[in-house]
């Protein structure tokens, strides 16, 4: 199974807006059914986690009676022999031979020692390849009988569902702090696992697969254990899992609500408990396709999923960088489908805005750009209304300080990014406001936006250490003065008045502390206690 199928299904191209009822325009092969959002589930009413132990015996049916046969190199070596080829038997015997080959492949080996059972491992691998080829060539021979479906799911379950290897927590933290893509981990058993995934994919895509029979074995337990495998450290396995889960979602309509719940619970556990999972990006990629198939108007449970699951995924401090592209795509899909969500999304994004993490802040700016590009004027005015209310409430404190109180997080919407001390963040913010659609939104809301961003521009021009940021700020300032001269000079006058008051207050504060030092010096010579007069102006603890 090459990378072409993976790229075909999960390409990063954005869909045309007219393709609302498809999944992701132009990237779904004809063998996959277009998905719709008709089947819904309450994505936020479930408990935080799901476990196989909570399922009934019927739901665990695909694992009942499937013993794991493990070979140790000598005990069964003489009995592990290759079976006849499908070409050497009659058509009536092929089904029986297929079952024998599948049963043979239920034997497990240890792959940590590459010199152990090399002959048996190669026999198993070649048998798996023969099975995959047979499934493809079975077109036109009639639907797979129940016993074949049961044996295939047995073989897949025995080989794939295992305890995953884990990297030490210390190593993961170091990689996350470096904001670099971690080195991919390779599972020593991958040469065999890959062929097992190919068998499963070909089985799911085969027209001879009867989903009414297959759902007896591809059930809740099977799906839940597939979702658990997304935590594999091997990126190749996660890529296969994306396609497998997508095919199950498309072919087995009855399991769509459960699949969404299982993925949501994985997100909840990651956000609120562990902040450790290797497959969040891949699960978001799958959900991006699912979201693209949601019918309009969006249902309430889908909106709750956006607010309670997707937006909180911005919270993890160290590892959000690893899946931010997929997360941004999912959220933008919601805004493109329902522009009324833009206001709530922007407020939610600002709620988790990083304060002292420049690389993450750049990613957030990129996401905000995509959201604003899909935002209509009416929704943007709602954000501006909150900005105006916040600026009026915070008053001079907002204009004089970098930080905002928790109740006025939206104040950071324009100002803080433009005068960020990080050059890359400030420059990206400048480029953000130069976008045509965003520039149009600013122009039609100048009375609210200009009083907020002008102090940041003046601070950049006069104080920023980067000459590039100074030049871009000056260009932006000139553009605003030409476009809205009356509002601009009114805001500039207000800024100069506030700056003069700030300078005056600063001088008074310095004088008060100087007088306090003099009093302390005099009294220190005679051993008297130094008392601070309540009339002395004090520096605010908020500064």
């Amino acid at each position: 199974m090459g990378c072409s199928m993976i790229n075909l299904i999960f390409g990063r191209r954005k869909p045309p807006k007219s393709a609302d009822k498809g999944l992701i325009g132009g990237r779904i092969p004809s063998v996959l059914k277009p998905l719709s959002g008709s089947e819904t589930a309450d994505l936020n009413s479930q408990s935080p986690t799901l476990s196989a132990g909570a399922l009934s015996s019927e739901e665990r049916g695909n694992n009942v009676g499937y013993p794991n046969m493990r070979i140790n190199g000598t005990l069964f070596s003489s009995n592990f022999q290759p079976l006849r080829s499908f070409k050497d038997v009659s058509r009536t015997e092929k089904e029986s031979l297929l079952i024998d080959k599948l049963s043979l492949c239920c034997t497990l080996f240890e792959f940590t020692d590459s010199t152990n059972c090399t002959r048996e491992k190669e026999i198993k691998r070649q048998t798996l390849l023969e099975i995959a080829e047979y499934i493809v060539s079975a077109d036109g021979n009639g639907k797979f009988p129940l016993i074949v479906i049961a044996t295939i799911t047995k073989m897949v379950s025995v080989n794939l569902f295992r305890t995953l290897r884990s990297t030490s927590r210390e190593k993961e933290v170091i990689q996350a702090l470096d904001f670099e893509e971690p080195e991919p981990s390779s599972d020593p058993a991958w040469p065999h696992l890959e062929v097992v995934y190919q068998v499963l994919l070909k089985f799911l895509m085969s027209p001879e697969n009867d989903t009414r029979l297959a759902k007896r074995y591809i059930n809740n337990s099977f799906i839940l254990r597939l979702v658990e495998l997304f935590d594999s450290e091997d990126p190749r396995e996660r890529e296969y899992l994306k396609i497998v889960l997508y095919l199950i979602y498309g072919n087995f309509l009855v399991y769509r609500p459960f699949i969404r719940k299982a993925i949501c619970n994985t997100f909840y556990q990651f956000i609120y408990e562990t902040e450790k999972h290797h497959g969040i990006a891949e699960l978001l990629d799958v959900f991006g396709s699912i979201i693209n198939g949601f019918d309009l108007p969006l249902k309430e449970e889908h909106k709750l999923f956006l607010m309670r699951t997707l937006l909180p995924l911005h919270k993890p401090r160290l590892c959000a960088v690893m899946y931010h592209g997929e997360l941004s795509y999912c959220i933008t899909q919601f805004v493109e489908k329902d522009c009324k969500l833009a206001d709530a999304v922007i407020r939610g994004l600002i709620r988790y805005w990083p304060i002292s993490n420049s690389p993450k802040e750049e990613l957030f700016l990129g996401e905000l750009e995509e959201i604003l590009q899909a935002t209509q004027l009416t929704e943007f005015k709602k954000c501006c209304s909150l900005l105006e209310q916040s600026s009026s409430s915070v008053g001079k404190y907002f204009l004089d300080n970098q930080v905002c109180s928790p109740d006025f997080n939206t104040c950071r919407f324009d100002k803080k990014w433009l005068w960020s001390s990080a050059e890359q963040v400030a420059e990206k913010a400048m480029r953000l406001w130069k976008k045509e659609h965003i520039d149009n939104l600013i122009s039609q809301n100048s009375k609210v936006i200009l009083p907020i961003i002008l102090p940041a521009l003046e601070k950049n021009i006069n104080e920023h250490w980067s000459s590039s940021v100074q030049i871009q700020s000056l260009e932006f300032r000139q553009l605003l003065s030409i476009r809205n001269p009356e509002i601009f000079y009114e805001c500039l006058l207000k800024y100069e008045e506030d700056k003069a008051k700030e300078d005056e207050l600063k001088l008074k504060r310095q004088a008060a502390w100087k007088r306090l030092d003099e009093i302390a010096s005099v009294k220190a010579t005679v051993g008297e206690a130094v008392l601070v007069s309540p009339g002395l102006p004090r520096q605010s603890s908020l500064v």
Side-chain angles (χ1 to χ4, degrees):
M1 184 71 180
C3 294
S4 58
M5 175 66 75
I6 296 173
N7 295 332
L8 185 63
I9 295 181
F10 294 97
R12 296 311 309 159
R13 293 183 301 167
K14 298 195 71 174
K17 292 186 178 179
S18 60
D20 284 339
K21 292 194 177 182
L23 274 175
I24 292 187
R27 69 185 194 185
I28 302 301
S30 59
V31 296
L32 303 182
K33 299 178 182 178
L35 305 182
S36 68
S38 57
E39 300 80 19
T40 60
D42 187 349
L43 299 178
N44 298 281
S45 62
Q46 67 273 13
S47 59
T49 60
L50 290 174
S51 64
L55 302 171
S56 65
S57 59
E58 289 81 2
E59 292 173 321
R60 296 193 299 268
N62 57 294
N63 294 322
V64 175
Y66 297 164
N68 291 1
M69 297 183 294
R70 186 173 298 275
I71 195 166
N72 60 16
T74 57
L75 184 58
F76 301 107
S77 177
S78 59
N79 296 327
F80 198 88
Q81 300 294 334
L83 300 176
R84 292 179 295 172
S85 172
F86 287 107
K87 299 178 182 179
D88 299 333
V89 299
S90 63
R91 183 172 182 178
T92 58
E93 297 178 308
K94 286 185 177 180
E95 180 181 309
S96 176
L97 180 60
L98 173 62
I99 294 174
D100 291 339
K101 288 180 178 289
L102 288 168
S103 300
L104 181 71
C105 293
C106 288
T107 305
L108 299 181
F109 298 91
E110 293 291 346
F111 287 87
T112 53
D113 184 0
S114 59
T115 63
N116 189 25
C117 300
T118 55
R119 171 182 169 276
E120 288 77 10
K121 291 175 183 177
E122 184 59 25
I123 291 175
K124 179 181 176 181
R125 184 174 181 276
Q126 291 300 324
T127 304
L128 287 168
L129 291 172
E130 290 180 19
I131 293 171
E133 184 179 353
Y134 175 81
I135 292 175
V136 173
S137 63
D139 295 355
N141 295 335
K143 298 292 185 180
F144 292 128
L146 184 62
I147 187 172
V148 170
I149 296 175
T151 313
I152 290 176
T153 53
K154 166 189 172 179
M155 186 275 294
V156 170
S157 300
V158 168
N159 282 275
L160 296 186
F161 300 153
R162 65 203 189 278
T163 302
L164 297 173
R165 299 184 306 123
S166 178
T167 303
S168 66
R169 179 64 175 168
E170 292 77 9
K171 181 178 179 181
E172 291 180 350
V173 170
I174 292 174
Q175 290 174 342
L177 287 172
D178 291 338
F179 294 103
E180 296 179 355
E181 190 71 22
E183 296 182 3
S185 176
S186 178
D187 192 322
W190 179 247
H192 277 49
L193 292 175
E194 182 178 21
V195 188
V196 176
Y197 276 110
Q198 289 181 12
V199 171
L200 178 57
L201 284 176
K202 295 181 187 300
F203 169 69
L204 292 172
M205 298 173 66
S206 173
E208 309 306 326
N209 177 24
D210 189 341
T211 55
R212 292 175 299 176
L213 297 178
K215 69 181 181 181
R216 299 185 185 182
Y217 299 95
I218 300 179
N219 52 27
N220 287 354
S221 176
F222 188 93
I223 293 169
L224 184 58
R225 299 192 72 178
L226 274 179
V227 173
E228 291 172 352
L229 287 177
F230 274 87
D231 200 17
S232 170
E233 295 184 4
D234 197 320
R236 298 169 297 181
E237 181 169 15
R238 299 198 299 269
E239 290 298 317
Y240 271 100
L241 285 166
K242 282 198 308 185
I243 305 176
V244 169
L245 191 59
Y246 180 86
L247 288 172
I248 294 176
Y249 190 90
N251 294 339
F252 299 84
L253 304 185
V254 68
Y255 292 137
R256 290 187 178 184
F258 184 82
I259 291 174
R260 294 197 294 265
K261 285 182 180 180
I263 296 177
C264 283
N265 281 311
T266 301
F267 290 156
Y268 294 148
Q269 189 175 25
F270 170 74
I271 296 168
Y272 300 110
E273 296 181 14
T274 64
E275 290 195 7
K276 176 186 175 184
H277 198 284
H278 297 94
I280 298 299
E282 287 78 11
L283 287 171
L284 284 170
D285 214 351
V286 173
F287 235 115
S289 298
I290 294 174
I291 293 168
N292 190 262
F294 283 163
D295 288 334
L296 296 177
L298 291 174
K299 299 187 177 179
E300 189 63 26
E301 55 263 32
H302 298 154
K303 297 178 183 179
L304 290 175
F305 166 71
L306 167 66
M307 303 307 298
R308 297 181 181 179
T309 306
L310 289 184
L311 287 176
L313 278 171
H314 293 90
K315 176 185 175 183
R317 185 173 61 92
L318 298 178
C319 45
V321 178
M322 304 303 178
Y323 57 79
H324 187 269
E326 291 78 6
L327 177 60
S328 176
Y329 177 79
C330 289
I331 291 177
T332 305
Q333 285 276 57
F334 271 104
V335 178
E336 289 179 349
K337 281 185 170 291
D338 187 355
C339 61
K340 293 181 180 180
L341 294 172
D343 175 49
V345 167
I346 291 174
R347 297 187 193 203
L349 182 64
I350 293 173
R351 177 183 179 186
Y352 299 103
W353 198 271
I355 301 300
S356 58
N357 189 334
S358 296
K360 189 175 179 181
E361 197 168 3
E362 288 185 66
L363 294 175
F364 274 51
L365 280 171
E367 181 178 354
L368 179 66
E369 178 183 343
E370 294 184 5
I371 294 172
L372 289 177
Q373 292 285 8
T375 301
Q376 302 299 318
L377 180 61
T378 54
E379 300 306 315
F380 187 76
K381 283 184 176 180
K382 293 181 181 179
C383 298
C384 291
S385 175
L386 180 61
L387 284 172
E388 186 174 25
Q389 178 184 0
S390 299
S391 296
S392 175
S393 301
V394 178
K396 186 176 183 303
Y397 169 73
F398 168 69
L399 295 175
D400 291 342
N401 297 276
Q402 298 183 24
V403 296
C404 297
S405 66
D407 295 332
F408 304 108
N409 278 336
T410 315
C411 297
R412 299 200 304 268
F413 183 73
D414 303 283
K415 183 179 179 183
K416 184 179 182 298
W417 310 330
L418 292 176
W419 57 303
S420 171
S421 60
E423 181 180 20
Q424 294 85 353
V425 175
E427 290 182 344
K428 192 172 183 66
M430 295 291 179
R431 293 193 296 270
L432 175 71
W433 298 120
K434 290 179 181 178
K435 298 292 182 179
E436 182 178 355
H437 179 69
I438 300 175
D439 184 57
N440 182 51
L441 295 177
I442 296 175
S443 299
Q444 299 188 52
N445 296 274
S446 299
K447 291 184 179 180
V448 178
I449 300 297
L450 279 182
I452 298 174
I453 65 176
L454 185 60
L457 292 174
E458 294 294 331
K459 188 175 182 69
N460 276 347
I461 294 170
N462 298 318
E463 302 179 19
H464 205 283
W465 62 270
S466 171
S467 58
S468 174
V469 173
Q470 290 178 347
I471 293 173
Q472 292 186 55
S473 300
L474 184 59
E475 293 175 353
F476 191 19
R477 181 182 183 276
Q478 291 174 345
L479 177 64
L480 294 175
S481 65
I482 295 173
R483 180 179 297 164
N484 303 285
E486 182 178 349
I487 299 176
F488 175 82
Y489 287 109
E490 179 182 342
C491 295
L492 183 61
L493 179 61
K494 180 67 166 59
Y495 166 74
E496 291 175 348
E497 291 176 356
D498 292 334
K499 189 71 167 62
K501 291 179 182 179
E502 179 185 359
D503 293 340
E504 182 181 355
L505 180 62
K506 185 177 180 180
L507 291 175
K508 289 182 179 179
R509 185 180 298 121
Q510 291 176 349
W513 282 106
K514 183 177 180 181
R515 183 159 60 91
L516 184 61
D517 288 339
E518 292 174 352
I519 296 174
S521 299
V522 172
K523 292 193 174 185
T525 58
V526 294
E528 295 183 14
V530 180
L531 301 177
V532 179
S533 171
L536 288 175
R538 299 184 182 182
Q539 186 175 8
S540 172
S541 61
L542 295 176
V543 177

